Amino acid sequence: MPQLIDGKRISQQIKDELKEETAKLKEAGIRVCLAVVQVGNDPASTIYVNNKKKACAYIGIESRSYELPEETTEDELTALVERLNEDREVNGILVQLPLPAHIDEDRIIRTISPDKDVDGFHPVSVGRLWIGERGFLSCTPAGIIQLLKRSGIAIEGKECVIVGRSNIVGKPMAALLLRENGTVTVTHSRTKDLREVTRRADILVVAIGKKQFITADYVKEGAVVIDVGMHRDENNHLCGDVDFDSVAPKTSAITPVPGGVGPMTIAMLMNNCVETVRRREDTL
Ligand code: NAP
């Protein structure tokens, strides 16, 4: 039987640690405040935003909501982000993506101050990650590192293969596994003979965005498989990019969907919120 990597338990553990840390900060008169900006009322975004606000409340992070209408212009949103950058009471800024099509997401991401970039998407945060400087880590890949470490799975010296090279998962995942001394291969839609590459993996991270794409023949016996994907199957149940039923028996450890990577993303966002204050205090 493979080890089931329990993202629900590990994310709760992280949130409890952060709750303790913010309580201590509060005693020292230091508060943490996250500004959450949503443009329009896409139902999925509203659920994500509410979950983030709930997590803030649990941990003791103040959250300030900015709910803007769909017609908000790029200049108006930029002006709000600039105001939040200047606001000394706001430690972190989160602009919920995706933004309406008429707004250039890259421009908005670049407008957020790198010191308040809790999503870790600003080019400065990405650069810091690659050169090994302290900075905000992209939440989903950072959560995967925590899943591995807290499940007792060593990364050093392992063959790590990532399927997918997106800016929010695949690429930062590569940087983080490299930082942990894994030997890293990144695959994508132009990779020749994907199966041959994925079968080399001791640790296989799948972020391809295709329902149950990775079947048992892509996986080496005894591998650790991390499934980032999030979909609904024909019965409307949540499932991942990995065909769990065929793959799990071949693995030594695997994340389920739901309850694997998903809960870690918010936990690591909360960690980045607290990190805004840790960074400031360390430089005082
Ligand atoms: P994405 O931006 O769509 O990127 C998908 C990547 O997969 C691309 O790099 C693409 O290659 C590659 N790919 C597509 N078809 C392929 C194939 N046949 N063989 C090899 N590679 C292939 O996706 P994403 O944003 O990284 O998200 C991936 C999945 O994770 C989605 O299901 C998403 O919903 C989920 N997700 C979950 C969380 C969470 O918190 N649990 C967070 C983020 C994302 P090219 O670059 O060549 O096009």
Side-chain angles (χ1 to χ4, degrees):
M1 275 292 280
Q3 174 188 358
L4 212 54
I5 300 175
D6 188 348
K8 253 175 141 175
R9 181 184 61 78
I10 296 171
S11 66
Q12 188 59 46
Q13 197 180 53
I14 291 171
K15 284 192 279 187
D16 286 338
E17 289 166 10
L18 293 170
K19 188 175 180 168
E20 240 176 74
E21 193 176 346
T22 48
K24 281 195 191 124
L25 288 168
K26 216 170 266 174
E27 275 168 26
I30 299 162
R31 34 179 288 295
V32 186
C33 174
L34 173 69
V36 182
V37 182
Q38 184 182 358
V39 183
N41 41 24
D42 170 59
S45 290
T46 303
I47 293 172
Y48 290 136
V49 161
N50 286 339
N51 287 342
K52 288 168 188 176
K53 288 195 278 197
K54 250 194 254 164
C56 283
Y58 179 79
I59 288 164
I61 295 173
E62 184 193 331
S63 64
R64 286 197 199 166
S65 270
Y66 297 84
E67 287 159 23
L68 310 181
E70 182 84 21
E71 324 68 79
T72 303
T73 65
E74 192 174 301
D75 286 344
E76 286 167 338
L77 181 57
T78 303
L80 170 63
V81 171
E82 282 168 347
R83 269 207 318 280
L84 295 171
N85 283 343
E86 295 303 316
D87 188 335
R88 294 170 65 94
E89 292 193 348
V90 170
N91 306 100
I93 302 171
L94 181 136
V95 178
Q96 183 63 44
L97 303 179
L99 290 168
H102 63 275
I103 299 179
D104 177 356
E105 276 184 8
D106 283 345
R107 177 177 170 206
I108 301 302
I109 288 171
R110 281 173 164 77
T111 305
I112 296 172
S113 160
D115 292 329
K116 300 191 178 188
D117 176 36
V118 287
D119 260 333
F121 294 157
H122 192 286
V124 169
S125 301
V126 175
R128 283 181 177 148
L129 167 62
W130 279 100
I131 63 174
E133 251 183 30
R134 183 172 179 178
F136 297 109
L137 304 179
S138 192
C139 300
T140 303
I144 291 170
I145 296 292
Q146 288 301 315
L147 281 180
L148 293 168
K149 286 188 167 175
R150 291 176 188 242
S151 302
I153 296 164
I155 301 169
E156 183 158 327
K158 297 282 176 65
E159 284 283 346
C160 304
V161 176
I162 303 160
V163 187
R165 57 173 164 181
S166 69
N167 287 337
I168 61 166
V169 187
K171 284 179 197 156
M173 188 76 255
L176 285 174
L177 288 167
L178 202 54
R179 194 187 262 199
E180 298 295 332
N181 299 315
T183 302
V184 181
T185 305
V186 183
T187 64
H188 45 78
S189 65
R190 313 288 172 89
T191 297
K192 281 189 190 143
D193 199 354
L194 182 65
R195 269 189 200 84
E196 188 265 322
V197 183
T198 56
R199 273 205 295 249
R200 293 207 299 260
D202 300 314
I203 298 174
L204 179 63
V205 179
V206 187
I208 187 174
K210 292 190 170 159
K211 199 194 300 184
Q212 297 169 330
F213 182 94
I214 296 293
T215 47
D217 49 332
Y218 285 82
V219 179
K220 179 172 82 174
E221 197 72 46
V224 173
V225 175
I226 305 291
D227 187 354
V228 186
M230 187 70 85
H231 311 275
R232 295 250 167 214
D233 69 12
E234 44 293 339
N235 303 317
N236 207 30
H237 295 143
L238 285 172
C239 67
D241 288 351
V242 174
D243 177 28
F244 185 90
D245 291 343
S246 80
V247 170
K250 244 183 145 176
T251 64
S252 58
I254 185 166
T255 55
V257 177
V261 174
M264 295 303 292
T265 302
I266 288 190
M268 298 318 289
L269 172 71
M270 296 297 110
N271 183 61
N272 277 349
C273 292
V274 178
E275 175 69 8
T276 58
V277 175
R278 289 187 203 119
R279 284 158 60 93
R280 197 186 62 201
E281 295 306 303
D282 284 356
T283 54
L284 287 182

